[in-house]
Amino acid sequence: VKDDYRLKLIINFIISECLEEFYLEADQFQSSTIRDYREGRMACYHLLKKYTDSSYSRIAEHFNWPVHTIYYFCQKCTEMLNFTEFYEPFNNKYKSLERRTTAFIAKLK
C-alpha cells in the first residue's frame, strides 16, 4: 500500500510539473494529439520507468493507454535523448523535468 501511495504521489508530481514545463493544459493532457502533448506524456512515461520500479503495464494502467504505446514512447524518448542536436527543445524540457523529479523523489525517501 505504501508503494502504491508513493507511486501515485510521483505520478501526480511528474504530470503537474510536465504541464508547467511543456506549457500544456491539464484537460487536454491525456487526449491531445498535438506534438507538445505527445512529447510531454512521453517524458512522463520515460521518467516513471526510469525512477520507479513500475512496469510498462502499471504505467499503462494509470494513463489508460495500451502497454505497447507506453513501451513505444519510452523507446522513442530514449532515442530523442540520444540525438540532442535534433531534439534540443525537447531535451531541455526533459532535463528540467528530470531534475525536478529527482529532487522530489529524494525528499520522499
Side-chain angles (χ1 to χ4, degrees), residues 11-74:
I11 289 170
N12 290 333
F13 176 82
I14 290 174
I15 290 171
S16 66
E17 293 297 311
C18 177
L19 293 172
E20 183 180 317
E21 187 64 42
F22 284 77
Y23 306 104
L24 307 175
E25 298 294 327
D27 61 339
Q28 297 178 47
F29 181 72
Q30 291 282 32
S31 59
S32 179
T33 57
I34 296 170
R35 182 181 187 161
D36 289 342
Y37 285 88
R38 289 192 327 261
E39 288 182 352
R41 289 191 303 264
M42 179 179 6
C44 290
Y45 308 151
H46 193 267
L47 289 169
L48 285 167
K49 186 66 182 152
K50 185 174 182 179
Y51 290 105
T52 69
D53 292 332
S54 297
S55 64
Y56 292 111
S57 298
R58 195 156 180 205
I59 295 168
E61 271 178 36
H62 179 78
F63 287 93
N64 238 358
W65 286 99
V67 176
H68 70 272
T69 300
I70 304 300
Y71 179 80
Y72 169 80
F73 278 119
C74 284

Side-chain angles (χ1 to χ4, degrees), residues 18 21-24 29 34-47 72-99:
C18 177
E21 187 64 42
F22 284 77
Y23 306 104
L24 307 175
F29 181 72
I34 296 170
R35 182 181 187 161
D36 289 342
Y37 285 88
R38 289 192 327 261
E39 288 182 352
R41 289 191 303 264
M42 179 179 6
C44 290
Y45 308 151
H46 193 267
L47 289 169
Y72 169 80
F73 278 119
C74 284
Q75 299 306 311
K76 180 68 176 170
C77 189
T78 299
E79 178 186 308
M80 290 172 73
L81 292 170
N82 287 330
F83 293 102
T84 54
E85 64 277 6
F86 295 116
Y87 302 105
E88 187 174 355
F90 171 79
N91 278 279
N92 292 338
K93 292 174 188 175
Y94 179 92
K95 293 297 181 189
S96 176
L97 184 58
E98 183 176 36
R99 280 190 297 276

